Amino acid sequence: MRPDPDSLPLLRRLHGRVFGCEEVRAVLAAAFAQLAASLEAQPGARYTMTVIPVDRLLEDPMPAEEDPVRMCRLFLLRRGARMAAPERHRNSVQRLVSWRGAGRIHQGAPGEGPDDLRPREIRSPRGGLSGGSATDRELLACWDVVPAGVWHFPEAGEGRDWATVTFHSAGEDEIVDELREAR
């Protein structure tokens, strides 16, 4: 869903780390290079992903009044591909930013099932990977927020493989991911 005004302070902070911190950009770039090699080695794969410890990305703990950021996943989705089935994270808010490329997040609303998902275009920041500051308009264009328990799936644009960084409020050892059963 389109980030709401209450989510913008946290997204600004995360955006600044992802795009404005040279050390974080280096960690992410190296991980995405490994994901690209993995995807190239698996011609039939739609995507590949990895988890990056958040302590390598965030310099200090999140303030108590903000939602926690306890896990970071990187995804590289092949151009024109979509995830095989909708998913939801029962106990985690997901904040996604487009690192490189563009695509759509198909998403439902709280309490809805996985069959009526609406697409929302997400793109990488216009300035590329340089600079960590962004206007609210830019944040709205390159970030998406999926509330806990909401069905969703990504779909990469046709131009290039889509690299995304997702931040979760649940940790790797506690997140409850659920895929829609095949029909």
Side-chain angles (χ1 to χ4, degrees):
M1 80 183 207
R2 187 176 169 98
D4 63 16
D6 292 340
S7 66
L8 291 177
L10 177 57
L11 296 184
R12 270 189 214 97
R13 182 166 180 225
L14 293 172
H15 193 90
R17 294 298 295 169
V18 169
F19 297 105
C21 177
E22 188 175 326
E23 294 83 11
V24 170
R25 285 196 323 263
V27 167
L28 296 174
F32 277 120
Q34 289 177 337
L35 290 176
S38 174
L39 196 60
E40 187 174 321
Q42 303 174 59
R46 294 178 191 202
Y47 75 95
T48 186
M49 64 84 64
T50 191
V51 174
I52 302 289
V54 292
D55 61 355
R56 294 189 66 197
L57 305 176
L58 303 177
E59 58 192 1
D60 53 8
M62 303 304 288
E65 68 273 6
E66 292 186 32
D67 288 333
V69 173
R70 306 206 38 227
M71 180 177 59
C72 177
R73 290 177 175 166
L74 307 185
F75 284 87
L76 186 60
L77 184 60
R78 196 175 300 279
R79 77 180 96 208
R82 60 167 275 192
M83 297 299 273
E87 68 174 346
R88 66 179 170 179
H89 315 292
R90 287 188 171 271
N91 63 336
S92 184
V93 175
Q94 173 183 287
R95 293 166 186 89
L96 173 145
V97 66
S98 181
W99 168 264
R100 182 182 63 241
R104 289 165 290 288
I105 299 296
H106 298 256
Q107 186 176 155
E112 290 182 355
D115 295 321
D116 188 29
L117 308 183
R118 293 162 296 286
R120 179 170 179 270
E121 299 286 330
I122 306 293
R123 63 163 175 77
S124 298
R126 293 218 188 273
L129 301 180
S130 62
S133 62
T135 65
D136 287 355
R137 185 178 195 161
E138 184 78 356
L139 290 174
L140 296 175
C142 60
W143 283 87
D144 191 67
V145 177
V146 180
V150 171
W151 291 99
H152 63 284
F153 70 86
E155 177 183 18
E158 295 293 331
R160 67 187 305 185
D161 295 345
W162 191 25
T164 62
V165 180
T166 64
F167 293 96
H168 285 271
S169 60
E172 183 177 12
D173 60 341
E174 64 189 15
I175 192 167
V176 179
D177 295 325
E178 179 182 350
L179 293 174
R180 180 182 76 185
E181 292 183 24
R183 295 175 183 226

